[in-house]
Amino acid sequence: MEMLLMMVSMILMIIMVLVGVAFLTLLERKVLGYIQIRKGPNKVGFMGILQPFSDAVKLFSKEQIYLNKSNYFMYYFCPVFSLFMSLVVWMLIPNLYGGIMFNLGMLFFICCMSVGVYMVMFSGWSSNSNYAMLGGLRAVAQTISYEVSLVMIMLSVMFMIEGFNLYKLMMFQEYTWFILMMFPLSLMYLVSCLAETNRTPFDFAEGESELVSGFNIEYSSGGFALIFLAEYASILFMSFIFNLMFLGGNFYSLMFMLKTVILSFIFIWVRGTMPRYRYDKLMYLAWKSFLPVSLNYIMIFMVMKIMIYSF
């Protein structure tokens, strides 16, 4: 019975995440529309509310293109695995009933995040297209660079709570939020999340002005839709983790959901406001700015913990 309850809760979680992703795309198109002084989708349903479902039907009913010179199985399965990795991490969220919550949840998230890089790399390589290959290489270099600082920032938070369990983040922030003592770290984490999810101003993997559409150029219909869904599921989860680590982390409250939506809105707001960064500056920011600062913070928190235990 317990196993059945766990399976049902996991399936419900995946369905809700996919619905959330659908409406996040609608929110993005609406917000970008108003930033550019236009309406955005407003024809399908009441004020365009059914637009995501219309897009899904259109994308999945289009003809799938098969490339003669592609590495067929990799080309075909990369988008599927990409979405799978984005959805698996959602299983970490501690539920009151029938969820999966384990003490090494944060490590599992880091592992899933690292494996996601391979999907982008293989989808770019298996297309056997120059543009896709360049987009894939850029994405790998960028994602690996920012993963280092991202993990260091997470380790600082883990030192504070002395564990890897996501539930502890909620317990330790009962009286004060971590953002008050880790404000620079929280800003670095937000920027690293933008780079990690290949979003503007770090969207070099999909640099339309240079690489047509980057690593996903050869994908159409269902394959493109799955890559798209994976990206937006990652954005939602990164917002969720930021909220958990720095903004209180009470995931049983309505306020928590509202904060997650506001953080997702910031991702969209940045896309509508910022121009694309220069590639060498992106790497400079990761290795010369974020990495030293995050390492220093880890050392500070280690010293704090040693002092607390010694006195």
Side-chain angles (χ1 to χ4, degrees):
M1 187 64 190
E2 198 173 314
M3 197 69 182
L4 182 68
L5 189 65
M6 187 187 289
M7 291 299 290
V8 169
S9 68
M10 285 164 70
I11 290 163
L12 273 173
M13 171 71 76
I14 287 170
I15 291 167
M16 292 304 160
V17 168
L18 290 173
V19 171
V21 165
F23 285 106
L24 181 62
T25 59
L26 179 65
L27 176 72
E28 175 165 50
R29 291 174 70 182
K30 280 282 192 187
V31 169
L32 288 178
Y34 282 109
I35 284 172
Q36 295 157 4
I37 321 175
R38 57 185 174 81
K39 284 288 182 192
N42 62 348
K43 294 287 185 286
V44 185
F46 176 70
M47 290 175 68
I49 203 92
L50 297 176
Q51 186 70 44
F53 305 106
S54 165
D55 289 339
V57 170
K58 184 197 79 172
L59 279 167
F60 285 107
S61 60
K62 281 173 79 174
E63 183 187 357
Q64 179 83 44
I65 295 169
Y66 303 116
L67 303 175
N68 286 332
K69 294 188 178 179
S70 66
N71 192 324
Y72 179 72
F73 284 105
M74 271 194 178
Y75 168 77
Y76 198 77
F77 284 112
C78 269
V80 179
F81 282 120
S82 186
L83 181 62
F84 176 74
M85 293 313 300
S86 297
L87 293 177
V88 159
V89 285
W90 283 94
M91 298 303 110
L92 293 172
I93 297 173
N95 291 325
L96 286 172
Y97 305 104
I100 300 171
M101 182 176 72
F102 53 101
N103 285 330
L104 300 176
M106 216 62 176
L107 282 182
F108 180 74
F109 164 58
I110 290 165
C111 293
C112 288
M113 193 171 65
S114 304
V115 172
V117 184
Y118 292 103
M119 299 306 120
V120 175
M121 182 174 76
F122 288 141
S123 59
W125 171 76
S126 62
S127 302
N128 205 15
S129 159
N130 291 340
Y131 290 127
M133 186 68 182
L134 280 169
L137 287 172
R138 281 180 169 197
V140 170
Q142 173 184 329
T143 312
I144 288 172
S145 299
Y146 278 88
E147 244 167 41
V148 178
S149 55
L150 210 62
V151 170
M152 292 295 176
I153 294 164
M154 283 181 179
L155 279 175
S156 298
V157 178
M158 295 310 116
F159 271 121
M160 291 298 283
I161 65 170
E162 297 177 356
F164 295 101
N165 197 329
L166 294 175
Y167 198 79
K168 278 190 170 183
L169 287 165
M170 177 172 141
M171 290 159 55
F172 272 77
Q173 294 182 81
E174 197 172 341
Y175 299 109
T176 182
W177 293 355
F178 280 166
I179 196 169
L180 298 175
M181 63 182 87
M182 301 184 189
F183 187 67
L185 276 186
S186 65
L187 294 181
M188 281 163 52
Y189 186 83
L190 193 63
V191 175
S192 298
C193 285
L194 285 167
E196 192 67 27
T197 49
N198 291 321
R199 295 287 294 178
T200 310
F202 309 118
D203 55 340
F204 294 99
E206 299 164 11
E208 294 91 352
S209 51
E210 312 116 43
L211 299 179
V212 189
S213 183
F215 72 99
N216 57 10
I217 182 170
E218 301 295 351
Y219 285 95
S220 61
S221 63
F224 174 78
L226 293 176
I227 289 172
F228 199 67
L229 285 170
E231 183 184 322
Y232 282 81
S234 298
I235 289 168
L236 267 180
F237 194 75
M238 287 296 194
S239 305
F240 177 89
I241 290 289
F242 182 93
N243 200 350
L244 206 55
M245 290 202 315
F246 299 109
L247 296 176
N250 181 9
F251 23 69
Y252 304 133
S253 70
L254 192 64
M255 195 64 192
F256 181 83
M257 302 304 163
L258 187 65
K259 284 185 283 190
T260 306
V261 171
I262 290 167
L263 285 163
S264 303
F265 168 76
I266 288 169
F267 276 76
I268 299 164
W269 189 9
V270 167
R271 183 180 175 185
T273 312
M274 305 287 286
R276 190 174 296 130
Y277 220 51
R278 219 172 68 194
Y279 198 80
D280 59 316
K281 288 191 172 183
L282 168 93
M283 289 302 172
Y284 183 91
L285 186 70
W287 295 108
K288 296 284 183 73
S289 300
F290 284 7
L291 189 60
V293 173
S294 53
L295 279 169
N296 283 326
Y297 260 96
I298 283 186
M299 288 163 70
I300 289 166
F301 290 134
M302 281 173 72
V303 169
M304 279 170 60
K305 285 292 176 183
I306 291 165
M307 286 172 70
I308 287 166
Y309 283 122
S310 58
F311 292 116

